[in-house]
Amino acid sequence: MIMNHHEVKTMAEEKKELTPDAFIAAHEGEVNKRWYPRFHIAPRVGWCNDPNGFAYFNGQYHLFYQHYPYEPKWGPMHWGHVTSSDLVHWQRQPVALFPDHPYDADGCFSGCGIEKDGRLCLLYTGHVDLLKKPGQPDRIETQNLAVSTDGVHFTKDEHNPVITFPEDVPTGEDHHFRDPKVWQHDGLYYAVVGAQTPEETGQVLVFTSEDLEHWQFKHVMAKAEGNQGFMWECPNFAEFDGHEALILSPQGVKPEGRRYLNLHQSVSMLGKMDYKAGIFYHDDFELLDYGFDFYAPQVMQAPDGRCLMIGWLAMWESAMPEQADGWSCQMTVPRELHYRHDKLVTPPAKELTALREKAFSQPETVLTEETSFAEWSQETGELIAEFDLSEAKGLAIHFAAGFDDEVAIRLEKESGNVTLSRKSPSTGRREERFAKLPAGQTKLAVRVYEDRSSLEIFLNDGEVVMSTRFYPKTEERVIVLEPQEGTVRMTEGVFYELGDIFA
Ligand code: FRU
């Protein structure tokens, strides 16, 4: 609420009177920054979820995100917007889209961006809530176009919606149909859209267009088999190092032993697109991130041909203690997609080194017991370390903020098992997530981005990635290296202070 001489206005009154940007400007000063990131994109105030519209236009990277500025919780979706010329330092831009047409009355849901003829075009889902009646859908979801010549102000296309659900395709009762992502192939535009089969399993539909405005349904590009979820959100077609993958966020995949322990997953499936048939032939799911908090990633093709990816560093239905501080959720750092040893790996984008400021290097050290270095005890920064595990059973690294709040990662050399543990922000109990490196390896490379309330841990240059939020009660931090049954040689160890991404 803001006060003037005569009255105290409610959020609902302000929402009516102020533009989203005026509301944000009036309230961003109220945000408590104790857990607010320095080098991750987060909303100035209010809520964000999926990254959207990740694109390159007029010499700048554009990133949009699902945004509800009025409260730090999900609400009718707007598109927040930031731009960058180097993928590292970002500028805030005005809110790009908000619900103001009958076809997007209850939200401008996720979608993508692509440059065409000197204009930045956004294709997004218009979401309309219906009153749920038995046997009838609870929503209408359509795909809509918004276009900008300056990359800042967007006009919704007069022919919207440009894609409606194809009549001859059977669908689930609730008519899920969202999150378009466009790419170009042989002079034609292709869009994947997430959907559901009548059996309530996930599927991806593919459409084609010559101009982004007129679209034809091509085919069901892929669909869930077995335990692959009831709805496939946020599909992406990704091309990297001469390989192809379908990347998507299936809802409702059930835990299988130590896999799929999060509420929803984000996966890649390597394969090959048959453009003639509109079918993607593919392998099984591989998780893109094995931590607690990663969802709805979006990819883009950088001008130099690299495939870049940003995800939402959060998970639906997890407790988000920063909501008490007036903001909620953040993006991951940008990552790159590469093909190595028959697998997709996702190291951090190479541009991120531009954030480095002061370096605190340690000489080569033999770790015989729990060891920490005073200069590494910082709330934000980047850790780069390499270890030789020949003389030990493994290594644990603790990112501690007092006994109770620590996040720990452990590698068991013989099995290759990696375990990430934290205190659950929802239950307060310790919880674990699991990944696997090849068994028996003696070398381990670790790169960690630590940013007040988040950790992104990259092992062996993106072979395993684990992301998590954590909510320490104080600003104190310490990194503890703990050899497991033996001694570990740290062959490289440096902690970088990192700068802010917003001026
Ligand atoms: C994924 C998602 C999308 C949808 C958006 C709504 O997290 O559910 O499917 O477009 O969030 O905010």
Side-chain angles (χ1 to χ4, degrees):
M1 282 192 287
I2 43 175
M3 309 250 293
N4 65 22
H5 298 303
H6 311 288
E7 56 191 331
V8 174
K9 292 203 168 152
T10 64
M11 188 274 284
E13 285 166 340
E14 278 188 59
K15 198 171 156 182
K16 252 193 222 150
E17 289 168 20
L18 300 179
T19 64
D21 292 302
F23 182 91
I24 292 167
H27 290 278
E28 72 175 323
E30 296 160 13
V31 165
N32 177 344
K33 297 264 168 112
R34 64 185 156 155
W35 289 317
Y36 197 86
R38 284 186 62 188
F39 61 89
H40 286 86
I41 295 161
R44 289 157 71 185
V45 60
W47 164 275
C48 77
N49 55 287
D50 314 358
N52 292 159
F54 193 19
Y56 194 77
F57 172 71
N58 270 357
Q60 293 215 299
Y61 289 95
H62 288 253
L63 185 78
F64 303 79
Y65 49 87
Q66 291 282 281
H67 185 30
Y68 187 60
Y70 302 102
E71 287 176 276
K73 61 180 197 189
W74 192 86
M77 282 291 118
H78 296 44
W79 277 36
H81 185 196
V82 292
T83 54
S84 170
S85 50
D86 62 2
L87 199 65
V88 170
H89 299 94
W90 296 87
Q91 284 82 46
R92 305 278 186 186
Q93 300 293 350
V95 165
L97 301 176
F98 51 87
D100 59 353
H101 281 70
Y103 54 76
D104 60 18
D106 296 305
C108 298
F109 275 18
S110 284
C112 62
I114 190 164
E115 191 271 343
K116 179 180 186 296
D117 302 335
R119 304 179 314 161
L120 179 55
C121 301
L122 306 178
L123 192 67
Y124 71 97
T125 299
H127 176 91
V128 179
D129 286 324
L130 301 178
L131 283 177
K132 176 83 181 151
K133 296 200 188 104
Q136 285 180 19
D138 66 353
R139 67 189 62 216
I140 304 173
E141 290 182 329
T142 58
Q143 318 317 321
N144 301 282
L145 187 63
V147 170
S148 170
T149 49
D150 65 3
V152 176
H153 303 94
F154 290 84
T155 307
K156 292 179 184 173
D157 193 278
E158 56 183 343
H159 300 110
N160 280 341
V162 294
I163 308 181
T164 53
F165 201 92
E167 270 165 24
D168 45 352
V169 175
T171 181
E173 181 173 297
D174 280 332
H175 291 202
H176 293 280
F177 182 48
R178 59 181 174 273
D179 312 335
K181 177 76 171 70
V182 175
W183 78 103
Q184 242 180 321
H185 178 82
D186 269 352
L188 208 58
Y189 293 100
Y190 290 77
V192 275
V193 185
Q196 197 180 48
T197 68
E199 296 75 39
E200 308 215 332
T201 57
Q203 63 175 340
V204 166
L205 310 185
V206 63
F207 297 79
T208 60
S209 172
E210 280 172 14
D211 58 6
L212 298 177
E213 218 175 4
H214 302 88
W215 290 91
Q216 286 82 44
F217 171 63
K218 177 86 181 164
H219 210 268
V220 173
M221 191 163 128
K223 57 176 158 187
E225 277 165 31
N227 179 30
Q228 290 191 330
F230 61 77
M231 165 63 194
W232 283 2
E233 296 191 310
C234 302
N236 293 254
F237 178 73
E239 294 175 279
F240 50 95
D241 301 346
H243 292 266
E244 298 175 357
L246 190 57
I247 283 181
L248 42 88
S249 293
Q251 294 180 291
V253 176
K254 298 198 180 59
E256 289 177 6
R258 295 179 150 204
R259 280 219 299 183
Y260 308 140
L261 298 180
N262 289 342
L263 178 66
H264 302 312
Q265 321 301 319
S266 290
V267 300
S268 69
M269 295 185 278
L270 289 167
K272 190 80 198 141
M273 182 69 184
D274 176 343
Y275 281 97
K276 232 169 140 193
I279 297 173
F280 187 72
Y281 294 98
H282 57 83
D283 299 344
D284 206 355
F285 281 0
E286 283 296 335
L287 284 175
L288 283 160
D289 187 303
Y290 293 83
F292 295 95
D293 294 296
F294 184 83
Y295 196 63
Q298 187 166 85
V299 302
M300 65 97 65
Q301 226 68 42
D304 65 4
R306 273 175 310 154
C307 186
L308 302 174
M309 173 176 80
I310 291 186
W312 183 42
L313 214 171
M315 183 47 61
W316 289 109
E317 294 178 35
S318 285
M320 297 160 179
E322 75 269 27
Q323 287 175 315
D325 297 343
W327 70 285
S328 196
C329 303
Q330 63 177 63
M331 300 297 134
T332 65
V333 294
R335 303 174 184 180
E336 295 181 10
L337 271 59
H338 291 292
Y339 189 81
R340 212 194 301 144
H341 307 313
D342 301 330
K343 274 185 60 181
L344 167 60
V345 297
T346 61
K350 66 169 191 223
E351 285 85 345
L352 288 167
T353 53
L355 270 177
R356 290 178 185 166
E357 292 180 347
K358 228 166 154 181
F360 298 100
S361 299
Q362 288 299 325
E364 187 165 317
T365 312
V366 176
L367 308 167
T368 53
E369 57 184 358
E370 288 190 14
T371 307
S372 61
F373 306 106
E375 292 140 333
W376 292 11
S377 301
Q378 304 201 32
E379 257 193 314
T380 68
E382 178 189 1
L383 170 69
I384 303 232
E386 285 191 12
F387 301 96
D388 183 332
L389 306 175
S390 313
E391 305 295 324
K393 291 243 159 115
L395 173 73
I397 307 177
H398 305 262
F399 298 88
F403 175 68
D404 201 25
D405 283 329
E406 79 156 27
V407 174
I409 184 149
R410 272 191 186 77
L411 168 69
E412 244 176 64
K413 182 178 68 180
E414 200 181 315
S415 60
N417 285 339
V418 181
T419 307
L420 178 73
S421 72
R422 71 167 181 187
K423 182 171 96 173
S424 159
S426 304
T427 64
R429 288 197 289 274
R430 289 208 72 78
E431 53 182 357
E432 294 179 325
R433 292 292 181 271
F434 307 95
K436 227 171 169 32
L437 285 172
Q441 278 188 357
T442 53
K443 297 268 185 292
L444 175 69
V446 177
R447 186 156 166 191
V448 182
Y449 287 93
E450 181 171 13
D451 198 1
R452 284 215 178 99
S453 60
S454 72
L455 287 167
E456 284 168 271
I457 300 170
F458 297 84
L459 301 181
N460 294 348
D461 201 23
E463 204 175 332
V464 160
V465 188
M466 303 181 99
S467 302
T468 185
R469 299 294 305 275
F470 74 131
Y471 299 92
K473 287 188 265 310
T474 69
E475 288 171 15
E476 277 163 48
R477 299 286 190 281
V478 58
I479 296 175
V480 180
L481 308 173
E482 186 196 357
Q484 314 274 286
E485 295 182 49
T487 60
V488 169
R489 182 177 292 270
M490 184 173 76
T491 50
E492 190 194 339
V494 48
F495 188 94
Y496 291 98
E497 286 180 0
L498 300 184
D500 290 287
I501 57 166
F502 291 104

